[in-house]
Amino acid sequence: MPGRSIRIARIAGIPVGVSPWWLVIVVLITWSLGASYFPEEIHGIAPGASYALGLASALLLFASILAHELGHAIVARRHGIEVEEIDLWLLGGVSRMRGEAHDPDDELRYALAGPAVTAVIAVCFGALALLLPSSTPAAVRALVEYQALVNGLILVFNLLPAFPLDGGRVLRSLLWRRSGEIGRSTETAASVGRGFGYVMIALGGLELLSGAPEGLWLALIGFFIVMAAGQQAMGAQAQAALSGVHASELMSTPVVSIPERTSAAQASADWFVPYRYTSFPVVDEQGRAIGLASVTQMQALARHRRTEQLVGEIADRDPGLLVAGDEDVSRLLERPAFARVGRAVVVDEPGGRPIGLISITDVQRTLRAARLADPAANGSAHAAKVSAARRQ
């Protein structure tokens, strides 16, 4: 999946970012079109003009992909799903959502929104290509025809029933509507997705063996689908297993906190070294949690010789890192802050004082214990075993 992206815009209130890998695919598309497609379509075109058209085509392609993702994001937001960001990256685009659709009909609408936008774009470019007068410059005609073709291919590819592609999400929504169980529907759709991914990897390998370098790209896409489908299936299993389990049941206690006016040097000497924890809650003068301080932050301050800086000034104060004891762990896993840091401070209410720490390791340990207790358990029945396994 995409890594850390660089924020470039905000459209309809939705942040848009690009991964550094996005530049790689832009360069590859520009080079490929400039070296072969446009010289074949436009007789006698100069190399500079050919590569300029290649760059314009690459940017128009990603503008179409951005519109596709905005279709997903806007429809998802209208149905109560929070949109964190849209990322453009190596294999196209992805809408980062917080949470899942609430029912199969919402999932179906969200899944079809992106392809609907792409279909409109493909039809518009196709109609424009047909309506262009004969006097239109060959460069303009070639550019328009390429956009019609590539958007049509994107539409067909995205509608393959290979989860997590859009077609796979359509399949999941239909299975969910039929069975009423999103977890089982996700696992089935993910299995179909992995099957498609393995077929793509095999076909890509055969193309490479036959001397076609394009096979490498097909195999890469297949590998991505296999990995993403597996992650989605594991996530669905964890969500189902941990639904109804509270953060207080999994948290580690007792909790040791660092006062916000402690220097980084003192925090390292009196907390990080003797306790050997990777992070600590930071509290204000009233003992209320305000954030987390990590060993990575301490090491960075030490490298820059800024160890007199106060812990409260460098603590990660993301509100998503503070959770109530009755927070459902399945919802906690959806928090971007928890996914980023891998841990959160459990606080009492209404005081806001730390009563424990919960980490991704606690969650994984509990899931392993519950599966060991009953490997066949899943869904809501599994949740009770998770709680029991944690209390043993």
Side-chain angles (χ1 to χ4, degrees), residues 247-256 277 281 343-344 346 354-359 361-363 365 390:
S248 60
E249 297 178 64
L250 304 191
M251 69 183 184
S252 299
T253 56
V255 63
V256 180
Y277 297 155
R343 65 191 65 240
V346 183
I355 57 174
L357 276 176
I358 182 169
S359 69
T361 304
D362 294 322
V363 175
R365 186 186 301 119
R390 176 60 183 170

Side-chain angles (χ1 to χ4, degrees), residues 198-256:
Y198 285 127
V199 169
M200 291 180 187
I201 292 172
L203 291 176
L206 290 175
E207 287 190 12
L208 283 172
L209 291 176
S210 64
E214 295 83 2
L216 178 61
W217 188 243
L218 182 62
L220 179 62
I221 294 175
F223 176 76
F224 160 75
I225 290 176
V226 169
M227 296 297 294
Q231 290 175 355
Q232 290 280 350
M234 290 177 61
Q237 292 169 0
Q239 289 283 344
L242 294 169
S243 180
V245 179
H246 296 157
S248 60
E249 297 178 64
L250 304 191
M251 69 183 184
S252 299
T253 56
V255 63
V256 180

Side-chain angles (χ1 to χ4, degrees), residues 29-288:
I29 292 175
T30 300
W31 174 79
S32 176
L33 295 178
S36 59
Y37 175 77
F38 285 112
E40 292 175 1
E41 295 292 321
I42 307 169
H43 180 69
I45 188 173
S50 182
Y51 285 110
L53 283 172
L55 177 60
S57 297
L59 295 178
L60 278 173
L61 171 59
F62 274 95
S64 299
I65 292 173
L66 176 58
H68 176 110
E69 295 301 329
L70 280 170
H72 283 312
I74 292 172
V75 171
R77 190 170 61 181
R78 286 179 179 174
H79 289 84
I81 302 175
E82 185 176 346
V83 182
E84 182 186 354
E85 187 176 32
I86 292 175
D87 279 344
L88 300 178
W89 67 299
L90 181 64
L91 295 178
V94 61
S95 299
R96 296 182 184 270
M97 309 290 183
R98 183 183 296 184
E100 292 280 358
H102 303 299
D103 61 60
D105 291 333
D106 285 352
E107 169 85 350
L108 184 61
R109 295 185 190 98
Y110 156 71
L112 290 176
V117 172
T118 299
V120 170
I121 294 173
V123 169
C124 288
F125 274 111
L128 181 60
L130 293 174
L131 295 174
L132 286 175
S134 57
S135 59
T136 301
V140 174
R141 182 176 297 277
L143 183 68
V144 170
E145 289 177 348
Y146 173 78
Q147 292 302 318
L149 173 63
V150 74
N151 277 283
L153 291 175
I154 289 174
L155 176 63
V156 172
F157 175 73
N158 266 286
L159 288 178
L160 290 175
F163 194 77
L165 297 180
D166 296 333
R169 292 191 176 275
V170 170
L171 173 62
R172 181 175 75 164
S173 70
L174 297 177
L175 293 171
W176 183 7
R177 178 187 290 175
R178 181 177 179 179
S179 68
E181 297 183 19
I182 185 174
R184 182 176 299 174
S185 300
T186 301
E187 291 183 26
T188 301
S191 296
V192 175
R194 283 194 294 266
F196 271 93
Y198 285 127
V199 169
M200 291 180 187
I201 292 172
L203 291 176
L206 290 175
E207 287 190 12
L208 283 172
L209 291 176
S210 64
E214 295 83 2
L216 178 61
W217 188 243
L218 182 62
L220 179 62
I221 294 175
F223 176 76
F224 160 75
I225 290 176
V226 169
M227 296 297 294
Q231 290 175 355
Q232 290 280 350
M234 290 177 61
Q237 292 169 0
Q239 289 283 344
L242 294 169
S243 180
V245 179
H246 296 157
S248 60
E249 297 178 64
L250 304 191
M251 69 183 184
S252 299
T253 56
V255 63
V256 180
S257 303
I258 304 177
E260 63 175 331
R261 300 197 63 79
T262 305
S263 69
Q266 183 182 353
S268 297
D270 296 345
W271 277 269
F272 284 92
V273 173
Y275 288 103
R276 300 182 183 178
Y277 297 155
T278 58
S279 60
F280 291 86
V282 178
V283 295
D284 62 15
E285 294 179 353
Q286 287 74 42
R288 297 172 299 195

